[in-house]
Amino acid sequence: MQESSSIGIVAPQTAHFDAPLTLKNGEVLPQFDLTYEIYGTLNADKSNAVLICHALSGNHHVAGKYTETDKNAGWWDNLIGPGKPLDTNRFFVIGVNNLGGCHGSSGPASIDPLTRQPWGSTFPVITVEDWVASQARLADYLGIQQLAAVIGGSLGGMQALQWTLSFPERVQHALVIASAPNLTAQNMAFNEVARQAIITDPEFHGGDYYAHGVVPRRGLRIARMLGHITYLSDDAMGMKFGRKLRHGPIKYSFDVEFEMESYLRYQGDKFAGEFDANTYLRMTRALDYYDPALEHGGDLSAALKPAKADFLVVSFTSDWRFSPARSREIVKALLDNNLSVSYAEVTAAHGHDAFLMPDPHYHSILRAYLKKIELRKNISAVPIIERRGAL
Amino acid sequence: MQESSSIGIVAPQTAHFDAPLTLKNGEVLPQFDLTYEIYGTLNADKSNAVLICHALSGNHHVAGKYTETDKNAGWWDNLIGPGKPLDTNRFFVIGVNNLGGCHGSSGPASIDPLTRQPWGSTFPVITVEDWVASQARLADYLGIQQLAAVIGGSLGGMQALQWTLSFPERVQHALVIASAPNLTAQNMAFNEVARQAIITDPEFHGGDYYAHGVVPRRGLRIARMLGHITYLSDDAMGMKFGRKLRHGPIKYSFDVEFEMESYLRYQGDKFAGEFDANTYLRMTRALDYYDPALEHGGDLSAALKPAKADFLVVSFTSDWRFSPARSREIVKALLDNNLSVSYAEVTAAHGHDAFLMPDPHYHSILRAYLKKIELRKNISAVPIIERRGAL
């Protein structure tokens, strides 16, 4: 193994965009902000940029820490850094908080410049296509004409795929991980239950809860607890918790009795204290709506015709929410278009969450693919002195 | 196929039990009611009685209708009636609403005779073992020493299994369908989310909502919507709804957009208007707690040692909540005890709900097994004139 280390201390930045953005639903955002982070160095010919697209609850803080004592690194820190599979000695990495998010980019909790009030319920329902369009604006802003790669897992994988359709000339490689060409009915059903928990929370106030000084914490907590069940496989939950009692002996009550209950409540409470419910609604709706084949009578191969990128598609055996079969649909449709596709079905016990885990086999696949990009594009390491400086 | 017909008009009855019942959690119910229905005729030697145990939201109304214009028959009407797989010309069938239920048997919404107020939060947390003990009281009341069979699906299957452990001499055959020897962590996790949705509903009032003239409808609705996802397989939801739009074209909103959303909301609303939330909490907790192997260091074979019954175990290929693997655990443990076991793994697309469906293969298995009981016990048909009278 080569030596790897953390990217170190990072800081978010915010870019403001004044040109209106017409959304898929027909609405126009007159202006918007995108909060992002960058790691590594953009090379002279600007050929080493890699965009990371986040999933449901992610954001721009992909790697590194904000302070020396920061307990939590970015959400994909195990993948990204000097010497890591996505090597910041070679690549210039961009993390961005999606439009509609709640971590700095314009979203429902932001102030609508027209009303000088939080957008709340009036913030548009954003789609994957809208995110990609806004991310292209960020690439423009950073002076990047073509991305060496776009990488994403789950909902992020949908964005990576959509990049190759919306901007075929602007993305050379797409890494579509633990994703799907659309959600199954079951998957949409879980989203619907999560949304209904939020929307029927008395403190939701039709999405305009900011004005009432409350948040629909109960609903968001339920939504997150449900989400966590679906991110893990049955086996993974069995291995992690099984039927272990929290306190033992059995108390015959509705309080926490099993370890798993304690875990779910903790995750739900934590998330409900941090995340914006209106953003959660929009993220799940973007998942529901994404379906590039829809306008092609359900023919995914026809839908992917514009793509020119080289693809790596990765799935995980125990992922029941974005199963390998769904990834294989993407692979088949790409191959139907004579595109270059690598596909890996990784044996992993963790379920959907596996895409975030540092599984050695999984990471070696990403490392090899990214190395291929590096060689193909003749990306050289940043000068050694600068690299040491970053450590 | 032989001719079959509905059992016709039926009526519930309620039995009152004055002798105290000591529950598994140590509490004592000083008295209780059980509401039940009976179909067919108990033969002279009382050897043809079959008990049906219900699952989460079921009750005593297993077959037949209450009025000629009744739109809904009992929940297992496709299985039970003259000439049906469980032939009421041969068997005397008992349906019972479980203790803690909300359809006539003593439960949280009943009046506590001590306080003359609804039990609410003070109604005990009931277990599968308690249900079986109370059902044995009902058998006593009906003058039945030994049941020809106990039949149940899902949580009902757990009761059928427990009958063979609590009262090995009193049950000759157990039909354990779409069940498990305990819940997996994932299964318990779904229950926990459902319960938390109810308990955190502001109108739950700690379980004493009756006094406030409200019900935690929002929470119960979410619980039921979630339940419905898990009763169907991903494929079944795909076949039934897929990504079909309800109104089309896409409206980009959080209103009903897909058919599946309309279905889930309808099911949730309907259930929340009919069922008692406190009962739902107790039913899910009984599921969580059931684990006969617990007192045997996890050794299911040791736990099933008391059983003497002859077993039919049935599972369904697409049932991901009570998977065939869980049924096979039961089968193995029964075989370890040299018991007579028939096992059928039915290919079915419907998921957990398959146990309620009139799948011909499934029903032929039940019919054949019940015919075997009939022959073994030399159960003769009730006189033809009486049978005609029942039609």
Side-chain angles (χ1 to χ4, degrees):
Chain A
M1 290 294 290
Q2 54 196 107
E3 257 185 77
S4 69
S5 59
S6 171
I7 188 74
I9 306 298
V10 300
Q13 306 177 53
T14 296
H16 180 74
F17 299 89
D18 262 328
L21 182 69
T22 301
L23 304 171
K24 197 175 179 193
N25 73 352
E27 291 184 59
V28 178
L29 268 185
Q31 51 179 282
F32 61 95
D33 291 340
L34 288 180
T35 294
Y36 65 98
E37 289 180 13
I38 47 176
Y39 321 123
T41 306
L42 187 61
N43 60 11
D45 57 358
K46 301 182 176 180
S47 67
N48 68 337
V50 174
L51 174 70
I52 309 295
C53 301
H54 70 74
L56 202 61
S57 59
N59 56 40
H60 53 278
H61 185 36
V62 185
K65 298 185 168 195
Y66 287 149
T67 63
E68 286 296 348
T69 55
D70 197 345
K71 278 184 197 158
N72 300 310
W75 58 268
W76 224 348
D77 190 76
N78 62 40
L79 185 77
I80 300 163
K84 293 189 180 178
L86 177 47
D87 188 349
T88 49
N89 290 331
R90 305 280 176 159
F91 290 103
F92 174 71
V93 178
I94 309 160
V96 58
N97 184 212
N98 280 353
L99 210 50
C102 53
H103 290 95
S105 294
S106 297
S110 310
I111 299 300
D112 177 353
L114 281 184
T115 65
R116 307 216 171 256
Q117 299 293 321
W119 283 91
S121 62
T122 63
F123 196 87
V125 172
I126 302 285
T127 64
V128 168
E129 290 85 343
D130 300 328
W131 284 332
V132 169
S134 67
Q135 289 159 2
R137 296 275 184 95
L138 180 63
D140 296 342
Y141 174 89
L142 296 171
I144 298 158
Q145 176 50 34
Q146 191 185 53
L147 293 159
V150 180
I151 307 180
S154 189
L155 178 55
M158 289 175 166
Q159 294 161 63
L161 178 60
Q162 186 57 39
W163 257 94
T164 71
L165 307 179
S166 297
F167 302 101
E169 310 291 345
R170 297 192 68 176
V171 53
Q172 283 194 299
H173 302 83
L175 288 77
V176 179
I177 303 168
S179 196
N182 62 27
L183 290 196
T184 62
Q186 187 187 66
N187 238 334
M188 290 197 295
F190 282 122
N191 284 344
E192 169 68 358
V193 173
R195 278 193 303 270
Q196 285 294 303
I198 292 168
I199 288 171
T200 63
D201 185 321
E203 300 194 315
F204 181 64
H205 295 288
D208 295 315
Y209 44 87
Y210 314 104
H212 293 78
V214 294
V215 291
R217 183 184 291 260
R218 282 178 290 248
L220 188 55
R221 176 175 177 269
I222 295 297
R224 185 60 166 182
M225 290 175 76
L226 176 54
H228 268 281
I229 301 177
T230 69
Y231 306 150
L232 293 173
S233 68
D234 192 4
D235 283 349
M237 287 198 96
M239 285 185 290
K240 193 166 180 173
F241 306 109
R243 298 180 51 86
K244 272 199 293 287
L245 291 162
R246 177 77 173 155
H247 307 290
I250 290 173
K251 292 179 307 205
Y252 298 99
S253 80
F254 305 116
D255 295 337
V256 165
E257 190 84 290
F258 297 96
E259 284 283 0
M260 167 277 307
E261 295 167 356
S262 172
Y263 169 80
L264 286 181
R265 292 188 192 188
Y266 172 79
Q267 294 293 345
D269 287 336
K270 184 163 166 276
F271 189 74
E274 293 169 358
F275 206 82
D276 183 61
N278 276 322
T279 291
Y280 201 82
L281 296 181
R282 281 159 181 76
M283 294 286 162
T284 58
R285 222 25 166 172
L287 271 167
D288 290 354
Y289 284 135
Y290 190 61
D291 189 10
L294 182 64
E295 287 159 33
H296 300 268
D299 181 346
L300 185 63
S301 302
L304 302 194
K305 205 168 186 301
K308 295 184 172 176
D310 183 304
F311 282 81
L312 173 66
V313 178
V314 181
S315 69
F316 300 92
T317 50
S318 59
D319 184 351
W320 59 281
R321 203 150 170 198
F322 292 80
S323 71
R326 304 310 315 278
S327 281
R328 288 195 296 262
E329 288 178 40
I330 297 174
V331 171
K332 184 197 173 291
L334 293 170
L335 291 174
D336 284 346
N337 285 294
N338 296 312
L339 290 162
S340 168
V341 189
S342 301
Y343 174 59
E345 200 164 304
V346 178
T347 301
H350 287 98
H352 189 53
D353 263 359
F355 90 86
L356 295 167
M357 307 280 178
D359 175 82
H361 178 212
Y362 165 46
H363 270 197
S364 73
I365 290 162
L366 295 185
R367 186 185 288 279
Y369 188 80
L370 289 159
K371 178 60 74 180
K372 189 178 81 173
I373 299 177
E374 196 184 304
L375 295 173
R376 177 182 290 172
K377 297 183 61 73
N378 197 24
I379 296 169
S380 48
V382 286
I384 196 76
I385 190 155
E386 188 173 339
R387 174 151 62 97
R388 286 222 172 129
L391 294 185
Chain B
M1 289 295 291
Q2 52 195 111
E3 256 185 75
S4 69
S5 59
S6 170
I7 187 73
I9 305 299
V10 299
Q13 306 177 54
T14 296
H16 180 72
F17 299 89
D18 261 329
L21 181 71
T22 301
L23 304 170
K24 198 176 180 196
N25 73 353
E27 291 183 59
V28 177
L29 267 185
Q31 51 178 280
F32 61 95
D33 292 339
L34 288 181
T35 293
Y36 65 99
E37 289 180 12
I38 47 176
Y39 321 122
T41 306
L42 187 61
N43 59 11
D45 58 357
K46 301 182 175 181
S47 66
N48 69 337
V50 173
L51 175 69
I52 308 295
C53 301
H54 71 72
L56 203 63
S57 60
N59 56 39
H60 53 277
H61 186 36
V62 185
K65 297 186 170 196
Y66 287 149
T67 63
E68 287 295 349
T69 55
D70 197 347
K71 278 186 196 155
N72 300 307
W75 58 269
W76 224 348
D77 190 75
N78 61 39
L79 184 76
I80 299 163
K84 292 189 180 177
L86 178 47
D87 187 348
T88 49
N89 291 331
R90 304 280 176 161
F91 289 104
F92 174 70
V93 178
I94 309 161
V96 58
N97 185 213
N98 280 352
L99 210 49
C102 54
H103 291 95
S105 295
S106 297
S110 311
I111 299 299
D112 177 353
L114 281 184
T115 65
R116 306 213 173 259
Q117 299 292 321
W119 283 92
S121 62
T122 63
F123 196 87
V125 172
I126 302 286
T127 64
V128 168
E129 290 85 342
D130 300 328
W131 284 331
V132 169
S134 66
Q135 289 158 3
R137 297 274 185 96
L138 180 63
D140 296 342
Y141 174 89
L142 296 171
I144 297 158
Q145 176 49 34
Q146 190 185 51
L147 293 159
V150 179
I151 307 180
S154 189
L155 178 55
M158 289 175 167
Q159 295 161 62
L161 179 60
Q162 185 58 38
W163 257 94
T164 72
L165 307 179
S166 296
F167 302 101
E169 311 292 347
R170 297 192 68 177
V171 53
Q172 283 194 299
H173 302 83
L175 287 77
V176 179
I177 303 168
S179 195
N182 63 25
L183 292 195
T184 63
Q186 187 187 66
N187 238 333
M188 290 197 295
F190 283 122
N191 283 344
E192 170 68 0
V193 173
R195 277 193 304 269
Q196 286 293 303
I198 292 168
I199 288 172
T200 62
D201 184 320
E203 299 192 314
F204 181 64
H205 295 288
D208 295 316
Y209 44 86
Y210 314 104
H212 292 78
V214 293
V215 291
R217 184 184 291 261
R218 283 178 290 249
L220 188 55
R221 175 175 178 271
I222 295 297
R224 184 62 166 182
M225 290 174 75
L226 176 54
H228 268 281
I229 301 177
T230 69
Y231 307 149
L232 293 173
S233 67
D234 191 5
D235 283 350
M237 286 198 94
M239 285 184 290
K240 193 166 179 171
F241 306 110
R243 297 179 52 86
K244 273 199 294 287
L245 290 163
R246 177 77 174 155
H247 307 291
I250 290 173
K251 292 178 309 203
Y252 298 99
S253 79
F254 304 116
D255 295 338
V256 165
E257 190 84 290
F258 297 95
E259 284 283 0
M260 168 276 308
E261 295 168 356
S262 172
Y263 169 80
L264 286 181
R265 291 189 192 189
Y266 172 79
Q267 295 292 345
D269 287 336
K270 183 161 167 278
F271 189 73
E274 292 169 357
F275 205 82
D276 183 61
N278 276 322
T279 291
Y280 200 82
L281 296 181
R282 281 160 182 76
M283 294 286 163
T284 58
R285 222 24 166 173
L287 271 167
D288 291 354
Y289 284 136
Y290 191 61
D291 188 11
L294 183 63
E295 286 159 32
H296 299 269
D299 181 347
L300 185 63
S301 301
L304 301 194
K305 205 168 180 348
K308 295 184 172 177
D310 184 304
F311 282 81
L312 173 66
V313 178
V314 181
S315 69
F316 300 92
T317 50
S318 60
D319 183 350
W320 58 282
R321 204 152 170 199
F322 291 81
S323 71
R326 304 310 315 280
S327 281
R328 289 195 296 263
E329 288 178 40
I330 297 174
V331 171
K332 184 197 174 292
L334 293 170
L335 291 174
D336 285 346
N337 285 294
N338 296 310
L339 290 163
S340 169
V341 188
S342 301
Y343 175 59
E345 201 164 304
V346 178
T347 301
H350 287 98
H352 189 53
D353 264 358
F355 90 86
L356 295 168
M357 307 281 179
D359 175 81
H361 178 211
Y362 166 46
H363 270 197
S364 72
I365 290 163
L366 294 185
R367 185 184 289 278
Y369 188 80
L370 289 160
K371 178 59 75 181
K372 189 178 79 171
I373 299 178
E374 197 183 304
L375 295 174
R376 177 182 291 171
K377 296 180 64 69
N378 197 24
I379 296 169
S380 49
V382 286
I384 194 77
I385 190 154
E386 188 171 338
R387 174 152 62 98
R388 286 223 171 127
L391 293 183

